[in-house]
């Protein structure tokens, strides 16, 4: 079955700096890779996703890159703000079913 | 207008009791899920269910059972609760090829 690893487990950055979170997956059949943000005490919410036919996707300060050959994908957050502080989860799936989540990265943006 | 709603939000109960958590989605999604999030924030799939198939994570004890009266509902019933069942349980739904929408979670505390 699919296995998703995520690094780092914790990340602290100064406000305004960039943050990068990396994930690797094991199943070459996986073709959909979403990223979720979970604020303290709240539900995970989808912030960006990428499909296997695309190498990069950007939405304002957030971007995701995918390297299918190496089986890894990354989340990039630029110009970080305190409200970006949260736990971020990557996931991998085959056609949006039965996601396997990474263990999460706790991002702290320091003022 | 909540898309995926869970009740109750908090549940405190004694060891050995039987309890249920309810989940309803109004998105018309085909598939619903239950995830367990432990104290380390790891999201682990328990069940996925659509109108054709129930997939059970083999590591889930058989004290846990999903019940789906219709496509919009997937309830979770737990028998003989144990201390280790304490966690946050998230319901989610998805349409094929798209990301999950999570419910707000149920924090279960077994004392």
């Amino acid at each position: 079955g699919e296995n998703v690893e995520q690094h780092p487990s914790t990340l602290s950055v100064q406000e305004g700096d960039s943050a990068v979170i990396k994930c690797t997956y094991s199943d070459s059949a996986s073709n959909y890779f979403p990223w979720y943000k979970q604020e303290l005490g709240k539900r995970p919410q989808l912030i960006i996703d990428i499909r296997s036919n695309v190498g990069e996707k950007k939405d304002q300060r957030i971007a995701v890159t995918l390297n299918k050959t190496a089986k890894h994908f990354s989340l990039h957050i630029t110009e970080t703000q305190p409200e970006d502080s949260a736990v971020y989860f990557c996931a991998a799936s085959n056609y949006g079913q039965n996601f396997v989540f990474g263990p999460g990265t706790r991002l702290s943006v320091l003022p | 207008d909540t898309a995926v709603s869970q009740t109750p939000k908090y549940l405190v109960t004694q060891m050995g009791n039987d309890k249920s958590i309810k989940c309803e989605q109004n998105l018309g999604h085909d598939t619903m899920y239950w995830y367990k999030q432990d104290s380390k924030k790891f999201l682990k799939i328990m069940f996925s269910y659509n109108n054709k198939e129930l997939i059970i994570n083999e590591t889930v004890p058989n004290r846990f059972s999903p019940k789906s009266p219709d496509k919009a509902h997937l309830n979770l019933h737990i028998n003989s609760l144990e201390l280790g069942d304490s966690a946050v349980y998230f319901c989610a739904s998805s349409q094929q090829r798209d990301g999950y929408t999570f419910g707000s979670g149920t924090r279960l505390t077994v004392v």
Side-chain angles (χ1 to χ4, degrees):
Chain A
E2 177 65 275
N3 182 50
V4 177
E5 296 184 355
Q6 184 172 346
H7 299 279
S9 57
T10 59
L11 178 60
S12 294
V13 299
Q14 290 295 134
E15 183 176 354
D17 287 350
S18 295
V20 180
I21 303 170
K22 299 181 180 180
C23 288
T24 60
Y25 62 100
S26 60
D27 187 352
S28 57
S30 291
N31 55 20
Y32 177 67
F33 307 93
W35 285 88
Y36 284 81
K37 174 184 180 183
Q38 186 178 26
E39 296 177 6
L40 187 63
K42 297 193 176 179
R43 75 188 79 190
Q45 292 198 299
L46 179 68
I47 55 171
I48 195 167
D49 56 13
I50 192 166
R51 301 184 193 276
S52 57
N53 58 347
V54 175
E56 183 173 359
K57 184 176 178 181
K58 191 172 181 181
D59 182 4
Q60 299 182 352
R61 297 186 297 108
I62 295 173
V64 58
T65 58
L66 172 65
N67 183 327
K68 281 215 71 175
T69 303
K71 294 205 281 264
H72 66 70
F73 55 113
S74 299
L75 177 71
H76 304 253
I77 306 174
T78 58
E79 301 173 21
T80 53
Q81 300 167 3
E83 53 264 37
D84 295 329
S85 296
V87 178
Y88 291 81
F89 294 95
C90 63
S93 78
N94 195 340
Y95 289 104
Q97 301 285 310
N98 301 329
F99 290 9
V100 176
F101 285 88
T105 296
R106 185 177 298 277
L107 173 65
S108 299
V109 179
L110 308 173
Chain B
D1 193 17
T2 304
V4 180
S5 60
Q6 287 178 237
T7 54
K9 191 170 176 64
Y10 300 96
L11 182 56
V12 181
T13 188
Q14 290 187 324
M15 276 195 304
N17 284 350
D18 302 339
K19 291 292 179 185
S20 293
I21 306 171
K22 295 185 177 181
C23 180
E24 176 181 3
Q25 56 100 1
N26 63 6
L27 298 167
H29 286 170
D30 289 331
T31 308
M32 296 183 72
Y33 309 84
W34 278 104
Y35 276 79
K36 179 181 181 180
Q37 187 171 46
D38 60 24
S39 58
K40 295 183 179 179
K41 301 297 184 185
F42 193 66
L43 279 163
K44 190 171 184 179
I45 191 166
M46 302 177 71
F47 305 101
S48 69
Y49 186 82
N50 63 25
N51 57 6
K52 299 174 186 176
E53 189 177 16
L54 171 67
I55 299 175
I56 302 171
N57 183 325
E58 61 191 15
T59 66
V60 175
N62 58 14
R63 299 181 294 104
F64 290 79
S65 57
K67 298 187 190 303
S68 181
D70 55 57
K71 184 179 164 180
H73 296 82
L74 183 65
N75 303 325
L76 181 65
H77 190 74
I78 316 168
N79 289 329
S80 303
L81 278 156
E82 300 177 357
L83 292 176
D85 298 332
S86 296
V88 179
Y89 292 84
F90 284 101
C91 175
S93 70
S94 73
Q95 193 73 348
Q96 194 174 33
R97 300 178 64 83
D98 289 332
Y100 287 5
T101 300
F102 281 92
S104 56
T106 296
R107 182 174 294 277
L108 171 65
T109 303
V110 182
V111 297

